[in-house]
Amino acid sequence: MTSDDLQNETTDLLRELVRFNTVNPPGNERPAIEFLAGYLKDAGFETELLADDEDRPNLVADLGDGAPTLCYLGHVDTVLADPSEWTHGPWSGDVAEGFLWGRGALDMKSQVAAEAVAGATLARGGWRPRNGALKLVFVSDEETGGDVGAHWLTSQHPERTRCDMLLNEGAGDMFEWDGNRRYGVCCAEKGIFRFKLTARGVAGHASLPRTGENALLKLAPALQRIADAEPTFELTEAPAALLTAIGADPDDPAAALERIAAVEPKLLTLIEPMLGVTLTPTMAHASDKINVIPSRAYLKVDCRVPPGLGEEVARKRIADVLGDEADKLEIEFTERVTGNASPIESPLMDAIDHWVRTNDEGAGTVPVILPGFSDSRWFREAFPDCVAYGFFPQRHMTLLETAPLVHSANERIDVRDLGFAASCYTDLARDLLG
Ligand SMILES: [Zn+2]
């Protein structure tokens, strides 16, 4: 199959996938998952659907058995979309101006399509792994945490999902640095330690502002301190290697950030959160009535912690930022998920780096971490020896172009990158499994 064929088939498959509305909640992923199962079965894969919720199954598709197992993972659910904000409808799958438009075109039906086309192309051509097995796993329910998706699947069916190497979402879109083309390989995800800050007061009538004790006003100084906080650093393996790769000193992250800001300020937004704990207030609630001074007010803060680190690091950061304001508020953690990581050196990393150098002359890879969450976390937890990376190579659309479109209106992908990614997954399977 030529690279044009790969691009055309991946484009066609992605159009079909975008047209299944899989906005989560509710997800309703079954039609999309069944469609993928049929596509892979026809190509020669053994397929099985495993479901906790019958409307939301997960697909496991195998080609060969034995070790090592290389797994291509993807989720078919998406976040919501408001059609009135889009140039081409979010479920249209329109191809226009060189892009395929639609919800999931980046996150991550595109990668699902490229992985499926790579697997199907190999299987239809008669290829079978000589050393190991190729596994494709397409899941439901990533966007709300994986309770019936990857989390459930890896904990309830470890024998069907166990793998040694995993490729998932998280990085791979090219960025330029000092004239060099770099492709991020995501080696870790940050943890989530969300918390609620509650202020107490005394209720009163809003027409008499000095009656009672307004709990909402007590949150103001805390909010201001969060807004004014300078970044702090808890450098883990991948971000340290990233700073080294771009010629900065990992022992002086503040200076590294200054340099990034001077060279490419837009990258700062993406790299700074990799280096430490972040606190982002997102929700607030006070009185239920406009004319009642609230006796209670709270703020919800989305706190992200570097991989491997836990609640004590989050608590220290909160104490540092809030200072004496912390004593006036109640702090309650509502979600605790510790992030995890894979080593930045491995045969899988070598294969990815080799592929990039071969297919984009002068380019190279750099390790990164995802400030957000992905299903890789569940696979690392279930299979501690599994090396899991996020890698979906995009060459024609850069990181600075794709990042603002994820979860946003007019999400779209350059169709040339669909062929680029599909050829990557085809080549990596051959390279790693023989
Ligand atoms: Zn995603």
Side-chain angles (χ1 to χ4, degrees), residues 75 77 106-109 142-143 168-170 373-375 406-407:
H75 66 82
D77 62 318
L106 292 168
D107 181 15
M108 65 172 294
K109 287 175 172 174
E142 191 272 345
E143 296 291 356
N168 182 29
E169 64 181 334
F373 179 85
S374 88
D375 281 333
V406 172
H407 291 198

Side-chain angles (χ1 to χ4, degrees), residues 77-94:
D77 62 318
T78 70
V79 295
L80 50 74
D82 176 353
S84 69
E85 297 171 350
W86 289 61
T87 311
H88 297 270
W91 300 282
S92 67
D94 282 357

